[in-house]
Amino acid sequence: MRITALAGGVGGARFVRGLRHHLDTTPGLEDSEVTVVANTGDDITLFGLRVSPDVDTLLYTLGGGVEESQGWGREDESHVVQSELAAYGALPQWFTLGDRDLGTHVVRSQWLGQGVPLSEVTARLAARWGLPERRIRLLPMTDTPVETHVVVGDEDGSERAIHFQEWWVRHQASLPARRFVVAGLDRAAAAPGVLDAIRQADVVLLPPSNPVVSIGIVLGVPGVRDALRGTAAPVVGVSPLISGRPVRGHADACLRTVGVPVTAAGVAGLYEDLLDAWLVDPADADTVLPRARVEAFDGPLLMTDVEATARIAEHALRLATAVTA
């Protein structure tokens, strides 16, 4: 089976890890290939280094080196370098970069500076983490630098734009956002292999990642949405909301910013033109969509551990089979 997933950070990474666990423990599915198309819209340059938060979370989670307690960053991390930067008064200090994590950013920045495209850089990083041996191919959505900014309003009525990471990490999405602006997206092209991975897939999965600033950004890359509409593979999504609340993160604030109801149906509406099936929590079993099949999971739609996530992924694959039967 060839499975393609569009993914953001923590939610997408944990879902794909559970998916791979299900495939590896199910006779006949062990050789299935999983291609992950990662959001790079929240990439940022810090201290002269190019940081790709969603790509790195996927690398560390799928490669077995993530800090499980927070879902991102490296396990057994230290912060000597960031402490030294703080002593020099270097800013910003609201984004935590660990010493082990910095190794990834240094080598990425070095390779990019040598003219290596982001897709090749990501492939090299994935090889270091053993993803190809796990039958996982990790692709950035584009080789073009793309950055998401958030337009917020000041008390005097004026507007200013801040990087998405500042809004998300520093302010915890508490600043009322007026709109999102994705710089560079209009000039972007899908990275090598992305469109083929969608067109040639047997199943396309939309994990419970942020629908606006993760999967939504991937869908904004020219050609990606058309490929999803045209693929013969069933497209199955997993709701990131339970009873109108995000399982983690600030998807609710993002949805309100773009004027979408904070409901499982509201999120599915963002994918209406390409979605074939939608997996929801039992609390949202009354969700009705105009064209996609809706099915409730047989328990809480929570990725509490690898086994629980594997059961969610298994259900999503069964749903894909059902809509093509």
Side-chain angles (χ1 to χ4, degrees):
M1 186 183 299
R2 294 168 298 183
I3 303 169
T4 297
L6 278 55
V10 178
R14 288 180 169 173
F15 179 85
V16 174
R17 182 174 60 179
L19 170 65
R20 187 70 260 177
H21 180 76
H22 165 63
L23 297 171
D24 291 340
T25 56
T26 303
L29 294 182
E30 307 97 321
D31 292 333
S32 296
E33 299 289 337
V34 178
T35 298
V36 184
V37 180
N39 168 47
T40 59
D42 59 357
D43 287 11
I44 188 172
T45 299
L46 298 168
F47 308 114
L49 301 176
R50 193 62 174 167
V51 180
S52 296
D54 284 2
V55 169
D56 295 341
T57 297
L58 285 157
L59 287 170
Y60 301 155
T61 302
L62 301 176
V66 75
E67 174 50 57
E68 289 289 348
S69 64
Q70 58 193 17
W72 51 270
R74 294 284 300 278
E75 61 182 350
D76 300 324
E77 189 61 280
S78 57
H79 300 88
V80 176
V81 174
Q82 181 128 2
S83 296
E84 285 299 304
L85 289 168
Y88 283 116
L91 298 174
Q93 287 295 319
W94 46 262
F95 195 101
T96 303
L97 295 176
D99 298 327
R100 294 173 182 267
D101 191 32
L102 276 164
T104 302
H105 310 320
V106 169
V107 75
R108 173 188 290 115
S109 302
Q110 182 183 51
W111 287 334
L112 289 173
Q114 294 169 349
V116 180
L118 182 60
S119 51
E120 173 60 25
V121 170
T122 303
R124 295 180 186 182
L125 295 173
R128 177 262 188 265
W129 285 99
L131 269 59
E133 289 80 6
R134 293 177 170 86
R135 295 173 296 283
I136 299 171
R137 181 172 58 149
L138 179 58
L139 305 175
M141 65 184 195
T142 180
D143 281 335
T144 304
V146 173
E147 290 192 5
T148 303
H149 294 83
V150 185
V151 177
V152 299
D154 289 327
E155 293 181 358
D156 62 1
S158 62
E159 293 184 340
R160 59 189 175 97
I162 61 176
H163 195 284
F164 168 76
Q165 292 294 346
E166 182 174 359
W167 182 72
W168 189 263
V169 177
R170 183 181 187 182
H171 297 289
Q172 295 293 296
S174 62
L175 293 180
R178 296 187 178 178
R179 61 188 178 276
F180 298 108
V181 177
V182 190
L185 193 61
D186 58 334
R187 303 187 303 274
V194 168
L195 299 183
D196 285 343
I198 294 171
R199 293 166 178 153
Q200 298 170 9
D202 296 307
V203 178
V204 176
L205 298 176
L206 306 181
S209 296
N210 190 300
V212 179
V213 294
S214 290
I215 292 180
I217 304 300
V218 179
L219 293 176
V221 175
V224 168
R225 196 166 203 120
D226 285 342
L228 285 163
R229 283 195 291 251
T231 184
V235 179
V236 179
V238 180
S239 175
L241 302 181
I242 297 177
S243 295
R245 294 184 177 182
V247 175
R248 64 173 292 136
H250 315 292
D252 49 347
C254 297
L255 289 165
R256 284 193 290 268
T257 298
V258 298
V260 172
V262 187
T263 62
V267 174
L270 294 171
Y271 313 139
E272 182 177 354
D273 57 326
L274 52 88
L275 193 66
D276 294 302
W278 189 232
L279 184 61
V280 300
D281 185 85
D284 299 309
D286 59 350
T287 299
V288 177
L289 301 177
R291 62 175 297 272
R293 173 171 174 167
V294 179
E295 194 164 297
F297 189 55
D298 56 8
L301 200 64
L302 296 171
M303 298 186 293
T304 51
D305 54 38
V306 175
E307 288 74 21
T309 308
R311 290 193 292 273
I312 295 172
E314 178 185 13
H315 197 130
L317 291 179
R318 288 204 311 268
L319 193 49
T321 301
V323 297
T324 55

